[in-house]
Amino acid sequence: MDTYAAQSQDVSRRRASDQFSETIQACVRLGREIAWGSLEPLLIDHRMMASNCIITADRSDPAHNAFDILRTRVLQTLRQNGWTSIAITSPTRGCGKSVVALNLAFSLAHQRDCRTVLLDLNLQHPSIARLAGMTDPASMEAFLKREVDVHDLLQRYGDNLAIGANSRAVHFSAELLQNGETAKVMADLRDRMKPDVLLFDMTSMLPSDDVTAFLPNVDGVIIVASAEKTTFEELETCERELAERTNVLGVVLNRCRHGPGY
């Protein structure tokens, strides 16, 4: 009789634990839905975007296939390793990494079971707002200093893509990026928005220490090289230095004249 009573109590405890766990998960899902639903909608001009080579939103340009292939490979790598965050950089300025970051973000938006957040952390030369046609973006510096809330920074495209642009350049940006408070702000963003993919459009690698300063906050890096200007030595230097500190997911060769232009 005592054995039966103990087994019955054990079953009851497991059921109560399962119900508690399901309740917690339901609250988490509800909190995520509220967080995303309260973001300001982002309305885009597809023609203007296409003129800036952002072609994955409406996918009328066949070149979007290249970014969809990149998206699938990135998602597979992230899921296989349990990663979520990627920095996108280039050896020098003018390689088109912000264009690649935006095209990858909009391509990910077509993956309905994936929620993506893209942040413009190219603090020295922000360009996401201009390329995407975003009006009145917030200051990324103010966000990183907790002077602006995440819901005042992010704008939502569709149901599952949120973009945080930047209104102005930042002096001494590497010091801000490696500040301990910045890591806490990123952790808070992850906790509130719970993105499946978190993309960071970063400053170019070689001219500054911004990327190196921020690497502890990411799981991996994509390097964008320009077929028209990146030298083998520049690319090799970036790959070697990044591989010593994080995971290099791959190199995107941009601006190939023999292809569709991406």
Side-chain angles (χ1 to χ4, degrees), residues 171-210:
H171 297 295
F172 311 115
S173 49
E175 296 173 12
L176 177 61
L177 289 171
Q178 64 185 328
N179 190 304
E181 189 63 24
T182 294
K184 294 178 183 177
V185 171
M186 290 299 142
D188 183 57
L189 182 147
R190 287 186 174 92
D191 185 57
R192 295 174 64 180
M193 305 307 299
K194 294 182 172 49
D196 299 294
V197 180
L198 183 51
L199 299 176
F200 301 105
D201 180 32
M202 303 293 302
T203 305
S204 301
M205 178 85 183
L206 298 180
S208 75
D209 55 342
D210 282 27

Side-chain angles (χ1 to χ4, degrees), residues 17 38 45 48-49 54 65-66 72-73 76 98 120 124 136 160 163 177 186 195 203 215 236 253 258:
S17 177
S38 62
D45 182 337
M48 182 278 298
M49 293 258 289
I54 313 302
N65 283 322
T72 298
R73 292 176 178 174
Q76 288 178 347
S98 298
D120 189 349
Q124 298 183 24
D136 196 27
N160 58 343
I163 299 177
L177 289 171
M186 290 299 142
T203 305
L215 284 181
E236 185 180 46
L253 184 60
H258 59 276

